[in-house]
Amino acid sequence: SSDLPLGLTASYTAGIQSATFKVRPRGGVIDNTKLQYIVSVNYTDYTLTVSQSASLSQITSELVTLISGAPEVGTVTSSTGNNSSTIEILGLNNGIRFNIATNTQRFSRYFLTQPNISARAGTLTISGSVSETLTVTSTSYLGPGGILNLAQDHRFDIFAITSSLSCTSNLGEIQII
């Protein structure tokens, strides 16, 4: 929604949620019988039990496969370096958030960091042609603009309202000179 001039329409598509966590070797005391790694997506635990000889890349690969089965998950990717792996989970649907947490047994050979959760930027599309005459008496008028201030400067707020009308987000503004 917005207060755009007649003839222009705005369409906003919310971004996808992203969650990233790491698999890292644990320092100090290690108990090779602690072989479980848990990732919880929307309060459903996905538990991986590995062998004592499982490598960092094996654990990472198996976690990616396991998490990919969650209904809220779109894609899961990973990268493995010398001493850690990074796993990134992207949600299945734009604008739909999911809860995620990790858990590792105490003294396991590797541990899972807690996820860093963020939303990727959405997309705002404005289309059409201005079909009304904008003047200095329009509520959008801010003052003279353009080269040598010979034009009119008009600004319009762009905002999104949730389908339940419970939340309004200011997406920015559009300036027409």
Side-chain angles (χ1 to χ4, degrees):
S1 187
S2 65
D3 66 350
L4 288 173
L6 293 176
L8 293 183
T9 59
S11 171
Y12 179 72
T13 303
I16 293 284
Q17 179 178 320
S18 168
T20 305
F21 66 91
K22 293 189 177 292
V23 182
R24 292 189 170 150
R26 185 183 304 276
V29 176
I30 303 293
D31 180 346
N32 281 325
T33 65
K34 306 297 184 184
L35 304 171
Q36 285 192 333
Y37 301 88
I38 302 168
V39 178
S40 179
V41 180
N42 269 4
Y43 309 106
T44 299
D45 288 346
Y46 295 86
T47 303
L48 174 65
T49 302
V50 298
S51 69
Q52 289 183 355
S53 62
S55 67
L56 175 63
S57 61
Q58 286 174 309
I59 292 170
T60 301
S61 176
E62 290 182 32
L63 282 170
V64 166
T65 301
L66 187 65
I67 300 164
S68 294
E72 303 81 5
V73 170
T75 60
V76 183
T77 57
S78 67
S79 60
T80 301
N82 289 337
N83 287 322
S84 72
S85 294
T86 301
I87 296 176
E88 181 180 35
I89 304 166
L90 296 179
L92 181 61
N93 298 306
N94 289 11
I96 304 296
R97 295 187 56 81
F98 57 89
N99 295 304
I100 183 165
T102 60
N103 195 3
T104 312
Q105 291 178 305
R106 188 173 179 197
F107 303 126
S108 62
R109 192 159 33 123
Y110 297 97
F111 72 96
L112 309 178
T113 63
Q114 285 304 307
N116 178 12
I117 299 171
S118 63
R120 294 204 169 170
T123 304
L124 175 65
T125 304
I126 299 175
S127 58
S129 299
V130 177
S131 62
E132 71 177 278
T133 303
L134 300 173
T135 69
V136 295
T137 60
S138 300
T139 57
S140 60
Y141 180 72
L142 288 179
I147 298 174
L148 302 175
N149 288 326
L150 299 177
Q152 298 175 24
D153 184 353
H154 293 266
R155 296 211 181 146
F156 303 89
D157 291 326
I158 309 293
F159 52 93
I161 301 173
T162 60
S163 59
S164 66
L165 302 177
S166 63
C167 182
T168 301
S169 295
N170 185 0
L171 301 177
E173 66 182 17
I174 182 173
Q175 180 179 14
I176 299 175
I177 296 180

